[in-house]
Amino acid sequence: MAQGDLASGRDYFHAALIFQHGDEANDYLLAHALATTAIAMGEPMAGELAAASLDRYLQSIGQSQIYGTQFKVPNDGSEVTQGAYDRDLLPDAVRTAVGVPGLAAQEEQRQAYARERDASVAGK
């Protein structure tokens, strides 16, 4: 990336994906910038990654996520949540435009994560 080797939207998307799985707030912010660049370059899969990287960045700096892409699945049996989440800032139309499920589908996903976790714990 530093040598200017990213040439296509797909290149920027893959770089964003790497930084999305970093460890620090600036990794997630860089992932968001790279995913946004990928969108501008026509990469069709970059919208969801841009949303996810922004949500991860916001939560890492103590703010509420806005798309609802981040889930917390604790192994201690406590509730599966999305953590701090401002559900009212964006309408579902914005979420779905970038490839993120709407609020009702997110709730179904949260419940599915809880069922999977509980089944996994019960199977041990």
Side-chain angles (χ1 to χ4, degrees):
M1 187 171 78
Q3 288 81 21
D5 291 337
L6 303 181
S8 68
R10 181 61 51 106
D11 291 343
Y12 279 91
F13 172 81
H14 286 293
L17 192 59
I18 291 168
F19 282 99
Q20 165 71 356
H21 292 93
D23 298 319
E24 301 177 3
N26 277 346
D27 294 334
Y28 314 136
L29 187 57
L30 179 55
H32 180 69
L34 294 167
T36 302
T37 302
I39 292 168
M41 296 179 80
E43 174 53 46
M45 297 187 334
E48 186 175 6
L49 183 55
S53 57
L54 180 58
D55 277 351
R56 189 166 285 181
Y57 172 73
L58 288 169
Q59 286 190 331
S60 75
I61 62 167
Q63 299 296 310
S64 298
Q65 65 175 315
I66 62 172
Y67 287 96
T69 61
Q70 304 301 298
F71 290 83
K72 298 178 187 296
V73 184
N75 290 325
D76 64 3
S78 58
E79 184 179 6
V80 174
T81 72
Q82 289 171 281
Y85 181 10
D86 184 351
R87 288 168 174 80
D88 298 325
L89 182 67
L90 300 176
D92 272 353
V94 173
R95 289 182 185 90
T96 57
V98 297
V100 173
L103 293 174
Q106 289 177 19
E107 176 57 19
E108 290 174 12
Q109 187 175 5
R110 188 195 67 74
Q111 291 175 14
Y113 285 148
R115 285 190 301 274
E116 289 171 15
R117 189 260 333 261
D118 294 346
S120 174
V121 169
K124 288 185 179 180

